[in-house]
Coordinates of all heavy atoms in Angstrom, one line a residue:
M295 N 0.8 -1.2 0.0 CA 0.0 0.0 0.0 C 0.9 1.2 0.0 O 1.9 1.3 0.7 CB -0.9 0.0 1.2 CG -1.9 -1.1 1.2 SD -3.0 -1.0 2.6 CE -3.7 -2.7 2.4
T296 N 0.5 2.2 -0.7 CA 1.3 3.4 -0.8 C 0.6 4.7 -0.3 O 1.3 5.7 -0.2 CB 1.7 3.7 -2.3 OG1 0.5 3.8 -3.1 CG2 2.5 2.5 -2.8
V297 N -0.6 4.7 0.0 CA -1.3 5.9 0.5 C -1.7 5.6 2.0 O -2.4 4.7 2.3 CB -2.6 6.2 -0.3 CG1 -3.2 7.5 0.2 CG2 -2.2 6.4 -1.8
V298 N -1.3 6.5 2.8 CA -1.6 6.5 4.2 C -2.4 7.8 4.5 O -1.9 8.9 4.1 CB -0.4 6.4 5.1 CG1 -0.8 6.4 6.6 CG2 0.4 5.1 4.8
A299 N -3.5 7.7 5.2 CA -4.3 8.9 5.4 C -4.8 8.9 6.9 O -4.9 7.9 7.5 CB -5.5 9.0 4.5
F300 N -5.1 10.1 7.3 CA -5.7 10.3 8.7 C -7.0 11.0 8.5 O -7.1 12.1 7.9 CB -4.8 11.1 9.6 CG -5.3 11.2 11.0 CD1 -5.2 10.1 11.9 CD2 -5.9 12.3 11.4 CE1 -5.7 10.2 13.1 CE2 -6.4 12.4 12.7 CZ -6.3 11.3 13.6
L301 N -8.1 10.4 9.0 CA -9.4 10.9 8.8 C -10.1 11.1 10.1 O -10.1 10.2 11.0 CB -10.2 9.9 8.0 CG -11.7 10.1 7.8 CD1 -11.9 11.4 6.9 CD2 -12.4 8.9 7.1
S302 N -10.7 12.2 10.3 CA -11.5 12.5 11.4 C -12.8 13.1 11.0 O -12.9 14.1 10.2 CB -10.8 13.6 12.3 OG -11.6 13.9 13.4
V303 N -13.9 12.4 11.3 CA -15.3 12.8 10.9 C -16.1 13.0 12.2 O -16.1 12.1 13.0 CB -16.0 11.8 10.0 CG1 -17.4 12.3 9.7 CG2 -15.2 11.6 8.8
A304 N -16.6 14.2 12.4 CA -17.4 14.4 13.7 C -18.6 15.3 13.4 O -18.4 16.4 12.8 CB -16.4 15.1 14.7
P305 N -19.7 14.9 13.9 CA -20.9 15.8 13.8 C -20.7 16.9 14.9 O -20.0 16.7 15.9 CB -22.0 14.9 14.2 CG -21.4 13.9 15.1 CD -20.0 13.7 14.6
V306 N -21.3 18.1 14.6 CA -21.2 19.1 15.6 C -22.5 19.0 16.4 O -23.6 19.4 16.0 CB -21.2 20.5 14.9 CG1 -21.1 21.6 16.0 CG2 -19.9 20.6 14.0
V307 N -22.3 18.3 17.6 CA -23.5 18.0 18.5 C -23.0 18.2 19.9 O -21.9 18.2 20.3 CB -24.0 16.5 18.3 CG1 -24.5 16.3 16.9 CG2 -22.9 15.5 18.6
E308 N -24.0 18.3 20.8 CA -23.8 18.2 22.2 C -23.8 16.8 22.7 O -24.5 16.0 22.1 CB -24.8 19.0 23.0 CG -24.8 20.5 22.8 CD -25.7 21.3 23.6 OE1 -26.0 20.8 24.8 OE2 -26.2 22.3 23.1
G309 N -23.0 16.5 23.6 CA -22.9 15.1 24.1 C -22.0 14.2 23.3 O -21.2 14.7 22.5
S310 N -22.2 12.9 23.4 CA -21.3 12.0 22.8 C -21.5 11.9 21.3 O -22.6 11.9 20.8 CB -21.6 10.6 23.4 OG -20.8 9.6 22.7
M311 N -20.4 11.8 20.6 CA -20.4 11.7 19.1 C -20.2 10.2 18.7 O -20.2 9.9 17.6 CB -19.2 12.5 18.5 CG -19.3 14.0 18.7 SD -18.0 14.9 17.9 CE -16.6 14.5 19.0
A312 N -20.0 9.3 19.7 CA -19.5 8.0 19.4 C -20.4 7.2 18.4 O -20.0 6.6 17.5 CB -19.4 7.2 20.7
G313 N -21.7 7.4 18.6 CA -22.7 6.7 17.7 C -22.5 7.1 16.2 O -22.5 6.3 15.3
E314 N -22.4 8.4 16.0 CA -22.2 9.0 14.7 C -20.8 8.6 14.1 O -20.7 8.3 12.9 CB -22.5 10.5 14.7 CG -23.9 10.8 14.9 CD -24.9 10.2 14.0 OE1 -24.7 10.2 12.8 OE2 -25.9 9.7 14.5
V315 N -19.8 8.7 15.0 CA -18.5 8.4 14.5 C -18.4 6.9 14.1 O -17.8 6.5 13.1 CB -17.4 8.7 15.6 CG1 -16.1 8.1 15.3 CG2 -17.3 10.2 15.8
A316 N -19.1 6.1 14.8 CA -19.2 4.6 14.5 C -19.8 4.4 13.1 O -19.4 3.6 12.3 CB -20.0 3.9 15.5
K317 N -20.8 5.3 12.7 CA -21.3 5.2 11.4 C -20.3 5.5 10.3 O -20.2 4.9 9.3 CB -22.5 6.1 11.2 CG -23.7 5.8 12.0 CD -24.8 6.8 11.8 CE -26.0 6.6 12.7 NZ -27.0 7.7 12.5
A318 N -19.5 6.5 10.6 CA -18.4 6.9 9.7 C -17.4 5.8 9.5 O -17.0 5.4 8.4 CB -17.7 8.2 10.1
V319 N -17.0 5.2 10.6 CA -16.0 4.1 10.6 C -16.6 2.9 9.8 O -16.0 2.2 9.0 CB -15.6 3.7 12.0 CG1 -14.7 2.4 12.0 CG2 -14.8 4.8 12.6
A320 N -17.9 2.5 10.1 CA -18.5 1.4 9.4 C -18.6 1.6 7.9 O -18.5 0.7 7.1 CB -20.0 1.2 10.0
A321 N -18.7 2.9 7.5 CA -18.7 3.1 6.0 C -17.4 2.7 5.3 O -17.4 2.4 4.1 CB -19.0 4.6 5.8
L322 N -16.3 2.7 6.1 CA -15.0 2.3 5.5 C -15.0 0.8 5.0 O -14.2 0.4 4.2 CB -13.9 2.6 6.5 CG -13.7 4.0 6.9 CD1 -12.6 4.1 8.0 CD2 -13.4 4.9 5.7
E323 N -15.9 0.0 5.6 CA -15.9 -1.4 5.3 C -16.3 -1.7 3.9 O -16.0 -2.8 3.4 CB -17.0 -2.1 6.2 CG -16.5 -2.2 7.7 CD -15.4 -3.1 7.9 OE1 -15.2 -4.1 7.2 OE2 -14.6 -2.8 8.9
D324 N -16.9 -0.7 3.2 CA -17.3 -0.9 1.8 C -16.2 -0.7 0.8 O -16.4 -0.7 -0.4 CB -18.5 0.0 1.5 CG -19.8 -0.4 2.2 OD1 -19.9 -1.5 2.6 OD2 -20.6 0.5 2.4
F325 N -15.0 -0.4 1.3 CA -13.9 0.0 0.5 C -12.7 -0.9 0.7 O -12.5 -1.5 1.8 CB -13.5 1.5 0.7 CG -14.6 2.4 0.3 CD1 -15.6 2.7 1.2 CD2 -14.7 2.9 -1.0 CE1 -16.6 3.5 0.9 CE2 -15.8 3.7 -1.4 CZ -16.7 4.0 -0.4
D326 N -11.8 -1.0 -0.3 CA -10.6 -1.8 -0.2 C -9.5 -1.0 0.6 O -8.6 -0.5 0.0 CB -10.1 -2.3 -1.5 CG -9.0 -3.3 -1.5 OD1 -8.8 -3.9 -0.4 OD2 -8.3 -3.4 -2.5
V327 N -9.7 -0.8 1.9 CA -8.8 -0.1 2.7 C -8.6 -0.9 4.0 O -9.4 -1.7 4.4 CB -9.3 1.3 3.1 CG1 -9.5 2.1 1.9 CG2 -10.6 1.2 3.9
T328 N -7.5 -0.7 4.6 CA -7.3 -1.1 6.0 C -7.3 0.1 6.9 O -7.0 1.2 6.4 CB -6.0 -1.9 6.2 OG1 -4.9 -1.0 5.9 CG2 -5.9 -3.1 5.4
Y329 N -7.8 0.0 8.1 CA -7.8 1.1 9.0 C -7.7 0.8 10.4 O -7.9 -0.4 10.8 CB -9.2 1.9 8.7 CG -10.4 1.1 9.1 CD1 -10.9 1.1 10.4 CD2 -11.0 0.3 8.2 CE1 -12.0 0.4 10.8 CE2 -12.2 -0.4 8.5 CZ -12.7 -0.4 9.8 OH -13.8 -1.1 10.1
E330 N -7.3 1.8 11.2 CA -7.2 1.6 12.7 C -7.8 2.9 13.3 O -7.3 4.0 13.0 CB -5.7 1.5 13.1 CG -5.6 1.4 14.6 CD -4.1 1.2 15.0 OE1 -3.2 1.3 14.2 OE2 -3.9 1.0 16.2
T331 N -8.8 2.7 14.1 CA -9.4 3.8 14.8 C -8.7 4.1 16.1 O -8.4 3.2 16.8 CB -10.9 3.5 15.0 OG1 -11.5 3.3 13.8 CG2 -11.6 4.7 15.7
T332 N -8.4 5.4 16.3 CA -7.8 5.9 17.5 C -8.7 6.9 18.2 O -9.7 7.3 17.6 CB -6.4 6.5 17.2 OG1 -6.7 7.8 16.5 CG2 -5.6 5.7 16.3
P333 N -8.4 7.3 19.4 CA -9.3 8.3 20.0 C -9.5 9.6 19.3 O -10.5 10.3 19.4 CB -8.5 8.6 21.4 CG -7.7 7.4 21.6 CD -7.3 6.9 20.3
M334 N -8.6 10.0 18.4 CA -8.6 11.3 17.7 C -9.0 11.1 16.2 O -9.1 12.2 15.6 CB -7.3 12.0 17.9 CG -7.0 12.4 19.3 SD -8.2 13.4 20.1 CE -8.0 14.9 19.2
G335 N -9.1 9.9 15.7 CA -9.4 9.8 14.3 C -9.0 8.4 13.8 O -8.7 7.5 14.6
T336 N -9.0 8.2 12.5 CA -8.8 6.9 11.9 C -7.7 6.9 10.9 O -7.7 7.8 10.0 CB -10.1 6.3 11.3 OG1 -11.1 6.2 12.3 CG2 -9.9 4.9 10.7
T337 N -6.7 6.1 11.0 CA -5.6 5.9 10.0 C -6.1 5.0 9.0 O -6.6 3.9 9.3 CB -4.3 5.5 10.6 OG1 -3.9 6.4 11.6 CG2 -3.2 5.3 9.6
I338 N -6.0 5.4 7.7 CA -6.5 4.5 6.6 C -5.3 4.3 5.7 O -4.5 5.2 5.4 CB -7.6 5.3 5.8 CG1 -8.7 5.6 6.7 CG2 -8.0 4.4 4.6 CD1 -9.7 6.5 6.0
E339 N -5.2 3.0 5.1 CA -4.2 2.7 4.1 C -4.9 2.1 2.9 O -5.9 1.4 3.1 CB -3.3 1.6 4.7 CG -2.4 2.2 5.8 CD -1.5 1.1 6.3 OE1 -0.4 0.9 5.8 OE2 -1.9 0.4 7.3
A340 N -4.5 2.5 1.7 CA -5.1 2.1 0.5 C -4.0 2.0 -0.6 O -3.0 2.6 -0.5 CB -6.2 3.0 0.1
D341 N -4.3 1.4 -1.7 CA -3.4 1.3 -2.8 C -3.3 2.5 -3.6 O -2.3 2.8 -4.3 CB -3.8 0.1 -3.7 CG -3.5 -1.2 -3.1 OD1 -2.6 -1.3 -2.2 OD2 -4.2 -2.2 -3.5
D342 N -4.4 3.4 -3.6 CA -4.4 4.6 -4.4 C -5.2 5.7 -3.7 O -6.0 5.4 -2.9 CB -4.9 4.3 -5.8 CG -6.3 3.7 -5.7 OD1 -7.3 4.5 -5.5 OD2 -6.5 2.5 -5.9
V343 N -4.9 6.9 -4.1 CA -5.6 8.1 -3.5 C -7.1 8.1 -3.8 O -7.9 8.6 -3.0 CB -4.8 9.4 -3.8 CG1 -5.0 9.7 -5.3 CG2 -5.2 10.5 -2.9
A344 N -7.5 7.6 -5.0 CA -8.9 7.7 -5.3 C -9.7 6.9 -4.3 O -10.8 7.3 -3.9 CB -9.1 7.2 -6.7
T345 N -9.2 5.7 -3.9 CA -9.9 4.9 -2.9 C -10.0 5.6 -1.6 O -11.0 5.6 -0.9 CB -9.2 3.6 -2.7 OG1 -9.1 2.9 -4.0 CG2 -9.9 2.7 -1.7
V346 N -8.9 6.3 -1.2 CA -9.0 7.1 0.1 C -10.0 8.2 0.0 O -10.8 8.3 0.9 CB -7.6 7.7 0.4 CG1 -7.7 8.7 1.6 CG2 -6.6 6.6 0.7
F347 N -10.1 8.9 -1.1 CA -11.1 10.0 -1.3 C -12.5 9.4 -1.2 O -13.4 10.0 -0.6 CB -10.8 10.8 -2.6 CG -9.8 11.8 -2.5 CD1 -8.7 11.8 -3.4 CD2 -9.8 12.8 -1.5 CE1 -7.7 12.7 -3.3 CE2 -8.8 13.8 -1.4 CZ -7.7 13.7 -2.3
A348 N -12.7 8.3 -1.9 CA -14.0 7.7 -1.9 C -14.5 7.2 -0.6 O -15.6 7.4 -0.1 CB -14.1 6.5 -2.9
A349 N -13.5 6.6 0.2 CA -13.8 6.1 1.5 C -14.1 7.3 2.5 O -15.0 7.2 3.3 CB -12.7 5.2 2.0
A350 N -13.3 8.3 2.3 CA -13.5 9.5 3.2 C -14.9 10.2 2.9 O -15.6 10.6 3.8 CB -12.4 10.5 3.0
Q351 N -15.2 10.2 1.6 CA -16.5 10.8 1.3 C -17.7 10.0 1.9 O -18.6 10.5 2.4 CB -16.7 10.9 -0.2 CG -18.0 11.5 -0.6 CD -18.2 11.7 -2.1 OE1 -17.2 11.5 -2.9 NE2 -19.3 12.2 -2.5
A352 N -17.6 8.7 1.8 CA -18.6 7.8 2.3 C -18.7 7.9 3.8 O -19.8 8.0 4.4 CB -18.3 6.3 1.9
A353 N -17.6 8.0 4.5 CA -17.6 8.2 5.9 C -18.2 9.6 6.3 O -19.0 9.6 7.2 CB -16.1 8.2 6.5
H354 N -17.9 10.6 5.6 CA -18.5 11.9 5.8 C -20.0 11.9 5.7 O -20.7 12.4 6.5 CB -17.8 12.9 4.9 CG -18.4 14.3 5.0 ND1 -18.1 15.2 5.9 CD2 -19.4 14.9 4.2 CE1 -18.8 16.3 5.8 NE2 -19.6 16.1 4.8
E355 N -20.4 11.3 4.6 CA -21.9 11.2 4.3 C -22.6 10.3 5.2 O -23.9 10.4 5.3 CB -22.1 10.8 2.8 CG -21.6 11.9 1.9 CD -21.7 11.6 0.4 OE1 -21.9 10.4 0.1 OE2 -21.4 12.5 -0.4
A356 N -22.0 9.4 5.9 CA -22.6 8.4 6.8 C -23.1 9.1 8.1 O -23.9 8.5 8.8 CB -21.7 7.2 7.1
V357 N -22.5 10.2 8.4 CA -22.8 10.9 9.7 C -24.0 11.8 9.5 O -24.1 12.6 8.6 CB -21.6 11.7 10.1 CG1 -21.9 12.6 11.3 CG2 -20.4 10.8 10.4
D358 N -25.0 11.6 10.4 CA -26.2 12.4 10.4 C -25.9 13.7 11.2 O -25.2 13.7 12.2 CB -27.4 11.7 11.1 CG -27.8 10.5 10.3 OD1 -27.8 10.5 9.0 OD2 -28.2 9.5 10.9
G359 N -26.6 14.8 10.8 CA -26.4 16.0 11.5 C -26.6 17.2 10.6 O -26.4 17.1 9.4
D360 N -26.9 18.3 11.2 CA -27.0 19.6 10.5 C -25.6 20.1 10.1 O -25.5 20.8 9.1 CB -27.7 20.6 11.3 CG -29.1 20.3 11.6 OD1 -29.7 19.6 10.9 OD2 -29.6 20.8 12.7
R361 N -24.6 19.7 10.8 CA -23.2 20.1 10.5 C -22.3 19.0 10.8 O -22.3 18.4 11.9 CB -22.9 21.3 11.4 CG -21.6 22.0 11.1 CD -21.5 23.3 11.8 NE -20.3 23.9 11.6 CZ -19.8 25.0 12.2 NH1 -20.5 25.5 13.2 NH2 -18.6 25.5 11.9
V362 N -21.4 18.7 9.9 CA -20.4 17.6 10.1 C -19.0 18.2 9.7 O -18.8 18.9 8.7 CB -20.6 16.4 9.1 CG1 -19.6 15.4 9.3 CG2 -22.0 15.9 9.4
S363 N -18.0 18.0 10.6 CA -16.7 18.5 10.4 C -15.8 17.3 10.0 O -15.7 16.3 10.8 CB -16.2 19.2 11.7 OG -14.8 19.5 11.5
T364 N -15.1 17.4 8.9 CA -14.2 16.3 8.4 C -12.9 16.8 8.1 O -12.7 17.9 7.4 CB -14.8 15.6 7.1 OG1 -16.1 15.1 7.5 CG2 -13.9 14.6 6.6
F365 N -11.9 16.1 8.6 CA -10.5 16.5 8.4 C -9.8 15.3 7.7 O -10.0 14.1 8.2 CB -9.8 16.7 9.8 CG -8.3 16.9 9.7 CD1 -7.7 18.1 9.3 CD2 -7.4 15.8 9.9 CE1 -6.3 18.2 9.3 CE2 -6.1 15.9 9.8 CZ -5.5 17.2 9.5
L366 N -9.1 15.5 6.6 CA -8.4 14.4 5.9 C -7.0 14.9 5.6 O -6.8 15.9 4.9 CB -9.2 14.0 4.6 CG -8.5 13.0 3.7 CD1 -8.5 11.6 4.5 CD2 -9.3 12.8 2.4
K367 N -6.1 14.1 6.0 CA -4.6 14.3 5.8 C -4.1 13.1 5.0 O -4.3 12.0 5.5 CB -3.9 14.5 7.1 CG -2.4 14.8 6.8 CD -1.7 15.1 8.2 CE -0.3 15.5 7.9 NZ 0.4 15.7 9.2
I368 N -3.5 13.3 3.9 CA -3.0 12.2 3.0 C -1.5 12.3 2.8 O -1.0 13.3 2.5 CB -3.7 12.3 1.6 CG1 -5.2 12.1 1.8 CG2 -3.2 11.2 0.7 CD1 -6.0 12.3 0.5
D369 N -0.9 11.1 2.9 CA 0.5 11.0 2.6 C 0.6 10.0 1.4 O 0.4 8.8 1.6 CB 1.3 10.4 3.8 CG 2.8 10.3 3.4 OD1 3.2 10.6 2.3 OD2 3.6 9.9 4.3
D370 N 0.7 10.5 0.2 CA 0.7 9.7 -1.0 C 2.2 9.5 -1.5 O 2.7 10.2 -2.3 CB -0.1 10.4 -2.1 CG -0.2 9.6 -3.4 OD1 0.2 8.4 -3.4 OD2 -0.8 10.2 -4.3
K371 N 2.8 8.5 -0.9 CA 4.2 8.2 -1.2 C 4.3 7.5 -2.6 O 3.8 6.3 -2.7 CB 4.9 7.3 -0.2 CG 6.3 7.1 -0.4 CD 7.1 7.5 0.9 CE 8.6 7.4 0.6 NZ 9.3 7.8 1.7
R372 N 4.7 8.1 -3.6 CA 4.7 7.6 -5.0 C 5.9 6.8 -5.4 O 5.8 6.2 -6.5 CB 4.4 8.7 -5.9 CG 3.0 9.4 -5.6 CD 2.8 10.6 -6.4 NE 1.4 11.1 -6.1 CZ 1.0 12.2 -6.6 NH1 1.7 12.9 -7.4 NH2 -0.2 12.6 -6.3
T373 N 7.0 6.9 -4.7 CA 8.2 6.3 -5.2 C 8.5 4.9 -4.6 O 9.3 4.2 -5.1 CB 9.4 7.2 -4.8 OG1 9.5 7.4 -3.4 CG2 9.3 8.5 -5.6
K374 N 7.8 4.6 -3.5 CA 8.0 3.2 -3.0 C 6.8 2.9 -2.1 O 6.0 3.8 -1.6 CB 9.3 3.1 -2.2 CG 9.3 3.8 -0.9 CD 10.7 3.5 -0.2 CE 10.6 4.0 1.3 NZ 11.8 3.6 2.0
T375 N 6.6 1.6 -1.9 CA 5.5 1.1 -1.0 C 5.9 1.2 0.4 O 7.0 0.8 0.8 CB 5.2 -0.3 -1.4 OG1 4.8 -0.4 -2.7 CG2 4.0 -0.9 -0.5
T376 N 5.0 1.8 1.2 CA 5.2 1.9 2.7 C 3.9 1.8 3.4 O 2.8 1.9 2.8 CB 5.9 3.3 3.0 OG1 6.3 3.2 4.4 CG2 5.0 4.4 2.8
T377 N 3.9 1.5 4.6 CA 2.7 1.3 5.4 C 2.8 2.3 6.6 O 3.8 2.8 7.0 CB 2.5 -0.1 5.9 OG1 3.6 -0.4 6.9 CG2 2.5 -1.1 4.8
A378 N 1.6 2.4 7.3 CA 1.6 3.2 8.6 C 2.5 2.6 9.6 O 3.3 3.3 10.3 CB 0.2 3.3 9.1
D379 N 2.6 1.2 9.6 CA 3.5 0.5 10.6 C 4.9 0.8 10.3 O 5.7 1.0 11.2 CB 3.2 -1.0 10.6 CG 1.9 -1.4 11.2 OD1 1.4 -0.6 12.0 OD2 1.4 -2.5 10.9
D380 N 5.3 0.9 9.0 CA 6.6 1.2 8.6 C 7.0 2.6 9.1 O 8.1 2.9 9.6 CB 6.8 1.2 7.1 CG 6.7 -0.2 6.5 OD1 6.8 -1.2 7.2 OD2 6.3 -0.2 5.2
K381 N 6.1 3.6 9.0 CA 6.4 4.9 9.4 C 6.6 5.0 11.0 O 7.5 5.6 11.4 CB 5.2 5.8 9.1 CG 5.1 6.0 7.6 CD 3.8 6.8 7.3 CE 3.8 7.4 5.9 NZ 4.7 8.4 5.7
V382 N 5.8 4.3 11.7 CA 5.9 4.2 13.2 C 7.2 3.6 13.5 O 8.0 4.1 14.4 CB 4.7 3.5 13.8 CG1 5.0 3.3 15.3 CG2 3.4 4.3 13.6
A383 N 7.6 2.5 12.9 CA 8.8 1.8 13.1 C 10.0 2.6 12.9 O 11.0 2.6 13.6 CB 8.9 0.5 12.3
A384 N 10.0 3.5 11.8 CA 11.1 4.4 11.5 C 11.3 5.4 12.6 O 12.4 5.6 13.0 CB 10.8 5.1 10.2
V385 N 10.2 5.9 13.2 CA 10.4 6.9 14.3 C 10.9 6.2 15.5 O 11.8 6.7 16.2 CB 9.0 7.5 14.6 CG1 9.1 8.4 15.9 CG2 8.6 8.4 13.4
E386 N 10.3 5.0 15.8 CA 10.8 4.3 17.0 C 12.3 3.9 16.8 O 13.0 3.9 17.8 CB 9.9 3.0 17.2 CG 8.5 3.3 17.6 CD 8.3 3.9 19.0 OE1 9.3 3.9 19.8 OE2 7.2 4.3 19.3
G387 N 12.7 3.5 15.6 CA 14.1 3.2 15.4 C 15.0 4.4 15.7 O 16.1 4.2 16.3
H388 N 14.6 5.6 15.4 CA 15.4 6.8 15.7 C 15.4 7.0 17.2 O 16.3 7.6 17.8 CB 14.8 8.0 15.0 CG 15.3 8.1 13.6 ND1 16.5 8.6 13.2 CD2 14.6 7.7 12.5 CE1 16.6 8.5 11.9 NE2 15.5 8.0 11.4
L389 N 14.4 6.5 17.9 CA 14.4 6.6 19.4 C 15.2 5.4 20.0 O 15.4 5.4 21.2 CB 13.0 6.5 19.9 CG 12.1 7.7 19.6 CD1 10.6 7.5 19.9 CD2 12.6 9.0 20.3
G390 N 15.7 4.5 19.2 CA 16.5 3.4 19.7 C 15.7 2.3 20.3 O 16.2 1.6 21.2
R391 N 14.5 2.1 19.9 CA 13.7 1.0 20.5 C 12.8 0.4 19.5 O 12.5 1.0 18.4 CB 12.8 1.6 21.7 CG 11.9 2.6 21.3 CD 11.1 3.2 22.5 NE 10.1 4.1 22.0 CZ 9.8 5.2 22.7 NH1 10.4 5.5 23.9 NH2 8.8 6.0 22.3
P392 N 12.3 -0.8 19.7 CA 11.4 -1.4 18.7 C 10.1 -0.7 18.7 O 9.7 -0.1 19.7 CB 11.3 -2.9 19.2 CG 11.7 -2.8 20.6 CD 12.6 -1.7 20.8
A393 N 9.4 -0.8 17.6 CA 8.1 -0.2 17.5 C 7.1 -0.9 18.5 O 7.2 -2.1 18.7 CB 7.5 -0.4 16.0
R394 N 6.3 -0.1 19.1 CA 5.3 -0.6 20.0 C 3.9 -0.6 19.3 O 3.4 0.4 18.9 CB 5.2 0.3 21.2 CG 6.4 0.2 22.1 CD 6.2 0.9 23.4 NE 6.5 2.3 23.1 CZ 6.5 3.2 24.1 NH1 6.2 2.9 25.3 NH2 6.8 4.5 23.8
S395 N 3.3 -1.8 19.2 CA 2.1 -1.9 18.5 C 0.9 -1.7 19.5 O -0.2 -1.4 19.1 CB 1.9 -3.3 17.9 OG 2.0 -4.3 18.8
D396 N 1.2 -1.9 20.8 CA 0.2 -1.7 21.8 C 0.6 -0.7 22.8 O 1.6 -0.9 23.5 CB -0.1 -3.1 22.5 CG -1.2 -3.0 23.6 OD1 -1.7 -1.9 23.9 OD2 -1.6 -4.0 24.1
P397 N -0.1 0.5 22.9 CA 0.4 1.5 23.8 C 0.4 1.1 25.3 O 1.0 1.8 26.1 CB -0.6 2.7 23.5 CG -1.8 2.1 22.9 CD -1.3 0.8 22.2
D398 N -0.3 0.0 25.6 CA -0.3 -0.4 27.0 C 0.9 -1.3 27.4 O 1.0 -1.7 28.5 CB -1.6 -1.2 27.3 CG -2.8 -0.3 27.2 OD1 -2.7 0.9 27.5 OD2 -3.9 -0.8 26.8
E399 N 1.7 -1.6 26.4 CA 2.9 -2.5 26.7 C 3.9 -1.7 27.4 O 4.1 -0.6 27.3 CB 3.4 -3.0 25.3 CG 2.5 -4.0 24.7 CD 3.1 -4.6 23.4 OE1 4.1 -4.1 22.9 OE2 2.5 -5.6 22.9

């Protein structure tokens, strides 16, 4: 995979957004992407940027509300294949330790 993106979709509502955010995350299932949801957003990996844009649009449209705020950041590495895990491992390598896959470890 060569495209890594960070997506945050949030309705502008009072109280918990969890139910609506879950709809956005569920919409990703219809696309050929891998993803990991974190407290602040979802990291998405895909083979091409068109897939990322389509998945992000579906996630945005899945959220109900009068107002929806969506943030999408894309890293489209075109010269070689890399993954989100590779990026994390590179940073951890500079810190002199192995990559941690579980923050509770």
Side-chain angles (χ1 to χ4, degrees):
M295 296 184 191
T296 58
V297 181
V298 177
F300 183 77
L301 175 67
S302 175
V303 179
V306 179
V307 297
E308 289 186 34
S310 177
M311 296 182 284
E314 293 302 315
V315 171
K317 291 177 186 178
V319 173
L322 300 176
E323 291 291 328
D324 294 334
F325 297 88
D326 188 18
V327 300
T328 59
Y329 63 88
E330 178 181 5
T331 301
T332 70
M334 298 299 292
T336 300
T337 300
I338 302 171
E339 295 179 86
D341 289 333
D342 57 77
V343 72
T345 302
V346 170
F347 280 124
Q351 180 177 354
H354 175 84
E355 292 175 353
V357 173
D358 294 325
D360 293 336
R361 186 173 180 191
V362 178
S363 176
T364 297
F365 172 84
L366 177 64
K367 182 177 181 179
I368 296 173
D369 182 0
D370 183 9
K371 186 127 184 179
R372 297 175 178 175
T373 58
K374 70 178 193 174
T375 299
T376 190
T377 66
D379 288 341
D380 294 338
K381 292 173 165 290
V382 172
V385 171
E386 295 289 350
H388 281 278
L389 293 170
R391 61 185 185 214
R394 290 188 277 184
S395 60
D396 183 351
D398 294 329
E399 289 182 352

